[in-house]
Amino acid sequence: VKELLHAPRAGRFRLVGAVDPYAGASGTGRELIENGVPVFDTVEEFYQTQKAELAFIVTPIYLHAHQAQYCMEHGSDVLCEKPICASLAEERAMAAVRDRTGRRLGIGFQWCFSEGILRLKRDIMDGRYGRIRRIRTVVYFPRNLDYYHRGTGWAGKRRLDTGEWLLDSVASNAAAHYLHNMLFLTGDRIDRSAEPLSMEAEVYRANDIEMFDTCALRIHTAKGEELLFYATHAVPYSHGEGLEFILEGEKGTAVMRRVKEEESMAGVLADGERIVYPKPDADNLRKLYSMADAVQEGAVLPCVPETVLPHLKCICALAESFPQTPKFPAEYLRYEEKDRQYVCSGIGEALDDCFQEGKLPYEKRIGWSQKPHEILMR
């Protein structure tokens, strides 16, 4: 909302309406109203009197499929926030409506629209790094009870009481970009991702949720790449946020790091050449303008339903393989009163060791670990 109302470049857009039944209760919602933007309670109400070339959908996961389809059915191209939805059936339905209506459907995994990530992917596709052997990613995103109690309380749920699927977890929502990024970088087209063949998975929870706030995954793709993903919300705030991935190819290595506010990404090739890439998070709203380029100029969208389907397959496979999420043993759990956060003692150090060695916690015999589930992807 702030971008669309105030950024000079957003003059490219004209806001014809917003849908938010709680607009009056939020600062940005009130700002929309004060700026004369018509606000509606539902997408159905909007399309009764209005029309739009493009719709941005930034609602909870369980609303994505219906709202995206409704907007396309009523003449709008759509940029839907990540994840695309919570089930393979919903993804198929969304893609089918896109194909039938001829509308465009972009998915807002912002790193797919990042100048730096796209440059790195083109270098991979051009063979500059040779065959990719392995990518490792670790994500420390501390989150407290406020995170899990926000909104209508859907965070961390497997499905709503009304039956809609959510599958909300650290891997499907807050850190979804970075799991998807590994699949995206190993895809053989700019708008495609690698197909996961099998997965070894450990998932855990420190919080009283249905899904998981911590995971360690090893994914093997159909082309033989090994993708390792470690992510947790159960690391103390004192540890700080952190993100790193290391891409290992036959002809070079690329590393991206984010520590506090500092971020960098660079590659080193076998002949010593160093390539500095733009920071992946340099412009997280670039997706809005990439979508506008697609609508107005027919530009190729780098992130569409087919691009994100491999990520969704991983999320659905995890939910099926773990109908109940193991909780960290009591001796490792503690509650940080000041931050209102449940944490697992020593988890940052443990996952960092796993990341450096390319092993899962069970392989390192970490005290809280359980034998990983071996999952064959469909």
Side-chain angles (χ1 to χ4, degrees), residues 206-319:
N207 289 276
D208 185 20
I209 56 175
E210 296 171 359
M211 293 294 286
F212 52 91
D213 53 41
T214 301
C215 67
L217 313 175
R218 176 184 286 122
I219 298 168
H220 289 285
T221 72
K223 294 190 297 179
E225 298 103 342
E226 180 187 31
L227 310 179
L228 288 154
F229 183 69
Y230 313 90
T232 184
H233 289 325
V235 66
Y237 279 92
S238 58
H239 183 280
E241 288 201 359
L243 166 64
E244 182 174 359
F245 77 72
I246 301 175
L247 179 148
E248 303 166 59
E250 290 178 328
K251 297 180 181 179
T253 300
V255 177
M256 181 273 169
R257 290 191 180 96
R258 184 203 300 159
V259 180
K260 296 182 180 178
E261 300 300 317
E262 295 298 318
E263 183 176 279
S264 63
M265 186 168 71
V268 178
L269 303 185
D271 61 6
E273 181 185 357
R274 178 175 167 81
I275 309 169
V276 177
Y277 295 98
K279 299 174 183 179
D281 287 315
D283 183 4
N284 283 331
L285 292 175
R286 194 169 188 256
K287 55 191 172 184
L288 307 188
Y289 303 95
S290 296
M291 195 72 206
D293 288 342
V295 173
Q296 294 181 314
E297 302 163 14
V300 173
L301 282 171
C303 196
V304 294
E306 290 79 5
T307 322
V308 302
L309 181 56
H311 173 266
L312 181 61
K313 287 180 179 178
C314 291
I315 299 305
C316 292
L318 287 170

Side-chain angles (χ1 to χ4, degrees), residues 329-351:
E331 61 265 33
Y332 292 95
L333 282 176
R334 71 174 191 268
Y335 180 68
E336 301 281 358
E337 190 74 42
K338 172 177 168 289
D339 295 317
R340 302 184 71 248
Q341 184 197 18
Y342 286 102
V343 302
C344 174
S345 297
I347 193 167
E349 295 76 11
L351 290 186

